[in-house]
Amino acid sequence: MTKYIVEGGNPLYGELHISGAKNAAVAIIPAALMVSGSCRIENIPQISDVKLLLGILQDLGAKVRFINPHAVEIDCSRLQNRRVPYESARRCRASYYMLGALLGRFGSADVALPGGCDFGGTRPIDQHLKGFRALGASVDTQSGFVIAEAAGGRLKASSIFLDKVSVGATINIMLAATLAEGLTVIENVAKEPHIVDVANFLNSMGANIMGAGTDVIKIRGVEHLRGGSYSIIPDQIEAGTYMAAVAACGGQVKICNIIPKHMDCITAKLSEMGVEIQEIDDSLLVSRDGSLVRSNIKAIPYPGFPTDMQPQMAAVLCLAQGTSIITDSVWSSRFRYTDEFKRMGAQIQVDGNLAIIEGVERLTGAQLEACDLRAGAAMLIAALAAHGISEITNVQYIERGYEDVIGKLRSIGGRIKSVEVPEEEPVAVSSAG
Ligand code: UD1
């Protein structure tokens, strides 16, 4: 078992390079299986979710070859298999993109229902399945598998209106419709930067997708995708996480290799809180030496404030003067991490999808257990800002989405190390207790 040991209370200084976007990579890798030839994907982040998805492609019969640590060549011209077993799917939520990709290319898919981060509520995929059905597929859920079959072997274009703005459903239906017959129109879609990135990847391979980044996406189906080369956009959430770390700890860090426009809502919120942010070409210089000011945050779909940044911002708001309120309108109960913050001295009350934070002078180091990817990142930020030593366990969650998080934090002065410890023996609990 790996755990992180963090000595907090030190400001951060230096320069950081942001990796390719996790949520784009985990959709573009499944999308690569729709390409008949070989494709090259650059700026791939080295994170465990990417390794898992590349492993799933190999199990399906793809040839995967790394050209360098951040560039991979994928050849899916000879896939033999259309089934993604539970052992693979359960470890990565984005395995659900295999459904749209396999169904689009071969007219059939057999994929175990996904696992991934549990935000404390259900994570339905009804909108994905509604989209596949509208495209003419029969969709059945049997023994934990989604089995989808296109009538006549090829999907047919349709008009789909999503009941809920969903990143996953938007991408999955877009994948399936790329090789369908005719013009598909999807309305009320999500507009996150990684959706535009997936559409750009597919278009660069010969797809005909219009409107990604707006509320309506139109897809004129093509017969096949040819090979090509594509570079993934920088990770908005990784960049935001390090910005929040500087806000919480103080100091000055240049966050490089980003698209500043994608950071607008995070930049605006941190500025309101007293953090100085200067845009310099493709980087942001983030500085904080005064005190932090309270703020309210409402997590909503892009271009609003991202739900994937609310736990990290909560860590900052724990140290801001006054009362702050965070509302998460995307996930109804994404506040499990607040129990860990409370053990560090934070003053937080949770009521449904709302957290009320009373800023405190300081947090103190504690033993912390990451409960999902972004919650783990938030605990790292809180630990770096806290006085004393913290130990964070369950760090495999953090490593699902952050490349070399220890190396990057150490390079800006974070006192953090990763240690291997033996697995803990399960504790016997007396029934009388
Ligand atoms: C993706 C991100 C995740 C992020 C989320 C919202 C990936 C791999 N994960 O997750 O990090 O927190 O977007 O930005 O990109 N919903 C339904 N039915 C559906 C699908 C979704 O009701 O069929 C609901 C969900 O319960 C949730 C909301 O829609 O309340 C948004 O979910 P969605 O955007 O689909 O999230 P994911 O794609 O799973």
Side-chain angles (χ1 to χ4, degrees):
M1 181 176 78
T2 308
K3 70 178 171 187
Y4 294 166
I5 305 206
V6 185
E7 186 190 333
N10 305 294
L12 304 173
Y13 287 96
E15 194 171 300
L16 271 184
H17 284 255
I18 296 306
S19 302
K22 165 195 171 271
N23 285 349
V26 299
I28 286 175
I29 293 168
L33 77 71
M34 300 174 67
V35 177
S36 306
S38 118
C39 67
R40 178 181 171 131
I41 308 170
E42 297 185 4
N43 204 28
I44 281 261
Q46 281 196 306
I47 51 175
S48 59
D49 268 12
V50 159
K51 283 188 203 130
L52 273 168
L53 287 164
L54 289 173
I56 294 179
L57 280 195
Q58 283 174 310
D59 291 344
L60 291 171
K63 283 196 190 125
V64 174
R65 184 173 74 89
F66 271 93
I67 297 150
N68 65 51
H70 295 107
V72 68
E73 200 165 70
I74 300 175
D75 183 348
C76 291
S77 43
R78 288 199 185 82
L79 290 198
Q80 302 102 17
N81 204 341
R82 317 241 164 111
R83 186 178 168 87
V84 178
Y86 177 67
E87 302 76 63
S88 318
R90 77 181 174 89
R91 292 160 66 197
C92 176
R93 177 110 199 126
S95 55
Y96 57 32
Y97 292 134
M98 297 290 172
L99 265 173
L102 285 167
L103 186 58
R105 179 157 177 204
F106 299 109
S108 71
D110 190 351
V111 179
L113 283 167
C117 277
D118 169 12
F119 300 144
T122 56
R123 293 187 70 174
I125 58 165
D126 56 298
Q127 296 302 302
H128 307 225
L129 306 188
K130 164 178 143 166
F132 300 150
R133 288 191 179 106
L135 293 169
S138 66
V139 181
D140 217 0
T141 309
Q142 281 172 23
S143 316
F145 278 76
V146 177
I147 301 163
E149 195 94 33
R154 188 179 178 196
L155 294 171
K156 294 213 169 38
S158 183
S159 291
I160 300 149
F161 195 102
L162 296 181
D163 301 333
K164 185 113 197 199
V165 176
S166 157
V167 169
T170 302
I171 294 178
N172 230 343
I173 300 169
M174 188 165 79
L175 293 176
T178 290
L179 296 172
E181 204 182 318
L183 179 72
T184 296
V185 180
I186 324 172
E187 292 188 66
N188 196 28
V189 295
K191 297 178 276 204
E192 271 69 3
H194 41 284
I195 288 169
V196 180
D197 209 37
V198 179
N200 287 343
F201 165 80
L202 290 166
N203 283 343
S204 74
M205 303 289 144
N208 188 351
I209 301 172
M210 298 149 281
T214 74
D215 294 314
V216 184
I217 297 181
K218 294 184 181 171
I219 304 147
R220 190 169 294 285
V222 294
E223 294 279 331
H224 66 271
L225 298 181
R226 53 166 192 269
S229 176
Y230 190 77
S231 182
I232 291 176
I233 52 165
D235 197 310
Q236 176 207 29
I237 305 298
E238 188 198 14
T241 300
Y242 290 116
M243 289 166 77
V246 181
C249 298
Q252 183 174 72
V253 176
K254 191 173 178 194
I255 315 272
C256 304
N257 181 39
I258 55 164
I259 299 173
K261 183 79 197 141
H262 292 168
M263 307 309 301
D264 279 354
C265 51
I266 299 166
T267 300
K269 203 38 85 178
L270 286 170
S271 303
E272 255 176 61
M273 290 158 64
V275 180
E276 210 175 290
I277 301 172
Q278 197 189 338
E279 184 178 325
I280 310 164
D281 302 325
D282 66 349
S283 53
L284 291 176
L285 184 65
V286 184
S287 326
R288 207 268 292 170
D289 63 1
S291 46
L292 288 163
V293 184
R294 60 151 299 278
S295 186
N296 294 336
I297 291 176
K298 187 164 185 177
I300 51 173
Y302 190 83
F305 195 89
T307 169
D308 285 356
M309 271 301 297
Q310 66 89 342
Q312 301 89 313
M313 292 299 262
V316 184
L317 290 173
C318 283
L319 295 163
Q321 285 174 0
T323 309
S324 305
I325 299 176
I326 299 182
T327 317
D328 196 324
S329 306
V330 180
W331 301 110
S332 55
S333 44
R334 197 178 188 175
F335 288 115
R336 282 199 300 168
Y337 64 86
T338 55
D339 286 337
E340 301 297 278
F341 282 7
K342 284 187 202 162
R343 295 195 303 100
M344 304 177 85
Q347 299 283 327
I348 311 181
Q349 263 183 291
V350 173
D351 185 4
N353 72 338
L354 210 124
I356 303 159
I357 303 175
E358 204 68 57
V360 293
E361 200 59 23
R362 58 154 64 176
L363 296 173
T364 49
Q367 300 217 322
L368 307 166
E369 192 175 322
C371 52
D372 69 58
L373 165 59
R374 306 303 172 187
M379 284 171 210
L380 255 180
I381 294 171
L384 285 163
H387 286 250
I389 309 274
S390 296
E391 287 186 14
I392 307 178
T393 52
N394 263 355
V395 298
Q396 72 277 5
Y397 280 120
I398 301 173
E399 293 172 359
R400 283 189 44 216
Y402 289 89
E403 175 173 335
D404 188 23
V405 67
I406 299 282
K408 288 190 185 187
L409 283 172
R410 284 168 78 110
S411 76
I412 53 171
R415 296 194 185 159
I416 173 167
K417 64 181 178 189
S418 169
V419 294
E420 288 302 320
V421 288
E423 289 289 335
E424 273 171 28
E425 293 288 325
V427 181
V429 181
S430 142
S431 57

